[in-house]
Amino acid sequence: SSHFGSSVQNSSKCWSSQWRCLANGPSITGAMRVVRLWLLWVTLGTPLLLHCNGSCTHEEYGTIEPPDHASGQAMTANHTVLVDGRPETNDITLNMTRLYFYENLNTTTMNQPERYRKLIISLEPCEGVVYLFVRKTRRCFPNPFSCCQPLLGSSGSPSPPPCNTTTHRVACAWTHFHSVIDGTRDGAPTFFEVPHTSTKYYFAVFAPREINLDSGVPKPRYRFTVLADVGAFPRPGLQGRLRTTLSEDAERTLEVSWDAATFIPMGISSLRNYYLYSSLLLASDRKQSDAVFMSPSKIMNSVCGLETNAVRYGMPISPSSCREGICRAKIAGIVPRRRYMLNIVAESYRGFNVTYSGIVVSTDWSESRHALGDWSEQTTNLIGAICGTVFGV
């Protein structure tokens, strides 16, 4: 077949070439050859037979979304070839899977000390719920439709996630690790930092139907990045926690503070800027869980989610303004008794960015004057921009 994930059409040719390579070696005769051939059959015969007979047929189902030709990445029939460190932004049809392949043959990377020889795999939902499935070293691509296996004694067949753990166990075929798929972290980013022990990785991104429709998302969108040079990726300080206080310098002003971002290992890159994002929340906006901020339809703890649902406030914040590892920013013109979402994005000189955890704040001033009586032009511009974002979601 013409594409990478397809079955091998001529199984007899596959068998003959593979077996010839394995069986030939130093000259041996008699019983030793019989023992060697038997060991080859036990250890390698079954995998080769499965490979030659096309065990990756799930890659040819009608549930595979074709690669996006507008993305600029290399494509091979049913999957996209990822470039190290280059984010891939896509939307995806409900109940469909997008396939990605990543290969890294860089000897400098592989010769790094073990504590630094790692791979960052990041799936950020911009809108909606998406799951990530990862396989190393050998095909096939992961099969999300095999994940929810009925418990012993239960009827039914395997189904795609999310999995109800009271009636199903999670066991995904052709998968080494995956997102949390039991429904407890729907809408949250998936972030892995794993030992870089393989040159080839096979990824599947899947969009569940019901949870997205229930959230009012007909076509989820996400950003997917694989990075071997982990020292170029910023790490939010203090696990991304933000703190807010009322400013003592001016009325209707909040001060936001956060711990400076770090890099591991140091010396690969450094921080270029921080960016403060804000959004005026609707009365119906509620944080659904500790892992999701705020909801699958309005994601505020991923970079592309903030770019979709919030606005950047003020100028970029230089890391040189931080003091003793603590950075600060002020927001003026806060409207009393309204809720605001605030979050920080840290960007490295290598162009990689990451969000902090985000925070929801509300203030109340005791004041007899009319709320609009003494608004400054800065206040009007701030509220106009934030409301425009909310109304456009």
Side-chain angles (χ1 to χ4, degrees):
S1 182
S2 61
H3 65 74
F4 178 81
S6 65
S7 305
V8 176
Q9 293 181 349
N10 192 335
S11 61
S12 61
K13 183 182 294 184
C14 174
W15 259 111
S16 62
S17 61
Q18 295 281 1
W19 190 257
R20 207 163 38 242
C21 175
L22 291 170
N24 290 340
S27 179
I28 55 176
T29 58
M32 290 180 63
R33 181 176 293 278
V34 173
V35 171
R36 181 174 181 177
L37 291 176
W38 181 80
L39 289 173
L40 285 172
W41 169 261
V42 171
T43 58
L44 299 176
T46 301
L48 283 175
L49 181 60
L50 290 174
H51 174 79
C52 294
N53 287 338
S55 58
C56 302
T57 54
H58 65 275
E59 296 174 11
E60 301 176 9
Y61 293 163
T63 55
I64 303 299
E65 186 106 55
D68 183 3
H69 291 264
S71 68
Q73 305 283 55
M75 294 162 293
T76 305
N78 67 343
H79 67 275
T80 299
V81 179
L82 295 173
V83 177
D84 183 75
R86 182 185 298 176
E88 174 80 2
T89 302
N90 281 124
D91 54 23
I92 183 171
T93 304
L94 298 182
N95 213 40
M96 296 287 280
T97 304
R98 281 193 183 272
L99 304 179
Y100 298 91
F101 173 68
Y102 172 82
E103 185 176 32
N104 192 325
L105 302 176
N106 189 316
T107 55
T108 302
T109 299
M110 291 302 178
N111 288 329
Q112 291 289 319
E114 186 174 351
R115 64 184 181 276
Y116 299 141
R117 192 177 66 249
K118 298 182 182 298
L119 188 70
I120 287 177
I121 304 170
S122 173
L123 178 67
E124 291 184 313
C126 310
E127 185 180 24
V129 178
V130 286
Y131 301 129
L132 175 64
F133 304 84
V134 185
R135 178 171 174 80
K136 302 186 296 182
T137 308
R138 295 178 54 221
R139 61 184 291 265
C140 304
F141 284 91
N143 181 11
F145 286 83
S146 67
C147 287
C148 304
Q149 303 277 346
L151 294 175
L152 187 64
S154 302
S155 59
S157 56
S159 58
C163 303
N164 184 347
T165 54
T166 61
T167 57
H168 293 77
R169 63 184 180 91
V170 177
C172 304
W174 305 102
T175 305
H176 283 112
F177 48 94
H178 52 75
S179 305
V180 177
I181 57 174
D182 60 3
T184 58
R185 293 181 60 88
D186 287 348
T190 296
F191 184 90
F192 295 119
E193 185 172 6
V194 297
H196 195 357
T197 56
S198 176
T199 59
K200 297 179 180 180
Y201 292 81
Y202 304 84
F203 303 101
V205 176
F206 174 74
R209 180 187 299 275
E210 285 75 14
I211 183 63
N212 279 298
L213 290 179
D214 291 345
S215 301
V217 181
K219 198 158 191 176
R221 188 165 56 90
Y222 60 89
R223 189 177 74 165
F224 184 37
T225 308
V226 180
L227 175 65
D229 197 359
V230 297
F233 196 86
R235 320 295 179 108
L238 199 63
Q239 298 181 332
R241 298 176 187 172
L242 302 181
R243 301 170 293 275
T244 58
T245 57
L246 291 176
S247 174
E248 299 178 356
D249 301 333
E251 293 183 350
R252 295 177 179 170
T253 300
L254 283 177
E255 182 178 85
V256 187
S257 61
W258 62 94
D259 284 56
T262 59
F263 294 84
I264 304 174
M266 299 177 63
I268 304 298
S269 184
S270 58
L271 202 74
R272 172 183 288 161
N273 283 312
Y274 295 101
Y275 302 95
L276 174 61
Y277 281 80
S278 62
S279 179
L280 182 62
L281 298 178
L282 303 174
S284 58
D285 290 331
R286 291 289 182 272
K287 186 177 178 181
Q288 293 195 353
S289 71
D290 291 338
V292 185
F293 187 71
M294 299 280 292
S295 67
S297 61
K298 188 177 286 188
I299 296 171
M300 301 289 197
N301 59 337
S302 72
V303 175
C304 63
L306 285 174
E307 292 172 349
T308 301
N309 299 305
V311 292
R312 187 187 295 180
Y313 178 77
M315 300 295 292
I317 303 164
S318 172
S320 62
S321 64
C322 303
R323 294 291 180 269
E324 298 181 351
I326 303 298
C327 309
R328 292 180 170 83
K330 292 183 179 181
I331 300 181
I334 295 295
V335 179
R337 295 177 294 278
R338 299 298 299 271
R339 294 186 308 136
Y340 291 85
M341 184 289 309
L342 304 175
N343 208 346
I344 296 294
V345 170
E347 180 187 34
S348 74
Y349 274 100
R350 291 277 297 275
F352 299 105
N353 46 31
V354 66
T355 69
Y356 280 62
S357 60
I359 191 171
V360 175
V361 297
S362 179
T363 60
D364 190 5
W365 281 273
S366 298
E367 189 171 11
S368 60
R369 289 174 292 178
H370 192 278
L372 302 180
D374 57 349
W375 273 10
S376 66
E377 182 180 357
Q378 179 184 9
T379 302
T380 305
N381 290 340
L382 168 72
I383 301 305
I386 295 178
C387 288
T389 301
V390 172
F391 296 152
V393 171

